[in-house]
Amino acid sequence: MTSNDQRRVLLAKPRGYCAGVDRAVEAVEVALEKYGAPIYVRKQIVHNVHVVKTLEEKGAIFVEETEEVPKGAIVVFSAHGVAPVVHEEAAGLDLRTIDATCPLVTKVHKEAVRFAKDDYDILLIGHEGHEEVIGTSGEAPDHIHLVDGPDDVANVQVRDPERVAWLSQTTLSVSETLETVAKLRERFPHLTDPPSDDICYATQNRQVAVKEMAADSDLVIVVGSRNSSNSVRLVEVALEHGAAASHLVDYADEIDESWLDGVTTVGVTSGASVPDVLVQGVLAWLAERGYADVTEVESVKEKVHFSLPKELRRDLRAPLPITPVG
Ligand code: 2E6
Ligand code: F3S
């Protein structure tokens, strides 16, 4: 039996919202305030069930496809980005669009366009079916080949092995991506690197933070949704770096009491799409069970901020149209 005075929590920092998520969620909130409900959002604005539910309660309507949005309405594109064809669909329906694509995803789109213009075969490392991968691939469908991890490298076929570049999804495991790139380079020694890191600062920093606490933790609880790539990666990183166990939960009430059997130190972190109120819920749940001693372990300082999408900034500057009375 673990005595009460040994029980403790290590709380990772940085954790939770990144600058791109903060901007995307605020974009929907500001759009609701400025234009009124309903505001349509194509796909989950970020991959978090609580965020989506909260915005729905405020009047956002989430749809899977652009064609579900009524003609002339306002639609927000999610932080994960969209293919150019989606912009065309929206224009065809006279929709007013607010593009909440994270600027760091847009950066990868631009890299894809440039490599395609130079006629490279582009090997996009990422998870099949993920929205970000669908959006990036749509920038240059004839040039991009998806590589879903190291085991997929053997399947890659290119036109000219001397003209090949790689890019990646922003939320991958850093170590697994390095392994995939090393295998790609074995096959294609002339492989060209992206101009800068595609795995974003927030993904990297949250992985560094969980790595630092993993070996000292008997259990690491990651707060995040199952379809959140960066959150799922944090569980993997925790296990790879010495945590005895690690689980992903959306809410504190999903924690199984049996996970605490024999546990002295609990590590807690959260994905980039997770509001901190959910982490506070987990801390309160743990405190009720004797894990009230919380130490925040800060590995990297973050100061990144992105301004709101340009369509919103423009409208926020403009005076409201005067509605004639009578
Ligand atoms: C957009 C791009 C990258 O599943 P994933 O980790 O990509 O997405 P979220 O919504 O969980 O995290 C934020 C994000 C948005 N990451
Ligand atoms: Fe952007 Fe990275 Fe967040 S790509 S949305 S800063 S996880």
Side-chain angles (χ1 to χ4, degrees):
M1 176 74 185
T2 313
S3 81
N4 273 350
D5 50 30
Q6 286 177 316
R7 293 179 194 182
R8 62 172 186 158
V9 173
L10 299 177
L11 180 60
K13 189 174 179 189
R15 63 178 182 278
Y17 270 22
C18 60
V21 165
D22 204 27
R23 170 184 187 261
V25 174
E26 198 185 341
V28 180
E29 286 170 348
V30 170
L32 283 163
E33 278 166 29
K34 172 83 185 164
Y35 312 113
I39 293 290
Y40 290 82
V41 184
R42 184 183 177 279
K43 310 279 184 190
Q44 292 188 334
I45 185 74
V46 296
H47 290 152
N48 185 267
V49 291
H50 184 77
V51 169
V52 169
K53 187 169 151 273
T54 308
L55 290 173
E56 270 173 346
E57 284 163 4
K58 292 182 181 175
I61 297 179
F62 290 86
V63 297
E64 279 304 301
E65 297 306 332
T66 322
E67 66 194 23
E68 295 169 54
V69 183
K71 222 170 182 315
I74 299 176
V75 64
V76 182
F77 293 145
S78 83
H80 313 95
V82 294
V85 69
V86 175
H87 285 282
E88 289 159 23
E89 285 166 11
L93 289 166
D94 288 331
L95 303 182
R96 290 166 63 192
T97 58
I98 297 170
D99 189 356
T101 302
C102 175
L104 300 181
V105 173
T106 302
K107 185 195 78 149
V108 183
H109 281 222
K110 288 182 178 160
E111 290 168 357
V113 170
R114 223 211 60 213
F115 279 130
K117 198 163 149 268
D118 292 342
D119 207 25
Y120 278 82
D121 272 3
I122 302 163
L123 308 180
L124 175 62
I125 304 173
H127 297 298
E128 188 162 13
H130 190 282
E131 272 143 40
E132 183 185 326
V133 158
I134 294 169
T136 306
S137 301
E139 291 285 358
D142 299 336
H143 288 79
I144 293 182
H145 312 264
L146 181 66
V147 183
D148 196 343
D151 296 342
D152 202 17
V153 170
N155 305 323
V156 175
Q157 302 291 339
V158 297
R159 292 167 302 160
D160 175 0
E162 303 215 340
R163 210 160 177 74
V164 182
W166 72 275
L167 296 177
S168 88
Q169 191 179 331
T170 57
T171 52
L172 301 181
S173 148
V174 173
S175 59
E176 191 184 270
T177 304
L178 289 174
E179 193 188 330
T180 309
V181 173
K183 285 199 168 179
L184 285 172
R185 210 178 294 288
E186 271 172 33
R187 280 201 60 195
F188 309 111
H190 295 281
L191 185 69
T192 300
D193 295 321
S196 60
D197 279 356
D198 287 344
I199 300 183
C200 74
Y201 82 94
T203 299
Q204 296 196 32
N205 290 349
R206 280 150 193 68
Q207 288 177 18
V208 168
V210 81
K211 241 188 241 182
E212 286 196 5
M213 64 159 53
D216 294 327
S217 303
D218 306 304
L219 164 71
V220 172
I221 296 175
V222 179
V223 186
S225 292
R226 305 228 74 84
N227 63 340
S228 167
S229 168
N230 78 88
S231 305
V232 173
R233 302 290 82 78
L234 293 176
V235 173
E236 294 169 0
V237 172
L239 292 170
E240 278 162 19
H241 288 83
S246 183
H247 299 280
L248 185 69
V249 296
D250 263 305
Y251 293 100
D253 63 9
E254 291 170 16
I255 303 172
D256 193 324
E257 302 259 358
S258 71
W259 296 349
L260 296 176
D261 288 348
V263 165
T264 306
T265 303
V266 183
V268 175
T269 189
S270 55
S273 46
V274 180
D276 212 54
V277 64
L278 302 181
V279 173
Q280 298 310 319
V282 166
L283 295 180
W285 188 97
L286 288 168
E288 281 168 22
R289 285 148 185 91
Y291 299 83
D293 170 10
V294 180
T295 307
E296 196 165 51
V297 185
E298 183 168 18
S299 51
V300 193
K301 288 211 187 292
E302 278 184 356
K303 287 197 190 112
V304 183
H305 174 78
F306 296 132
S307 50
L308 283 170
K310 60 179 184 318
E311 308 86 341
L312 269 177
R313 277 186 281 137
R314 181 197 58 212
D315 283 3
L316 288 173
R317 277 195 305 268
L320 274 175
I322 298 164
T323 316
V325 184

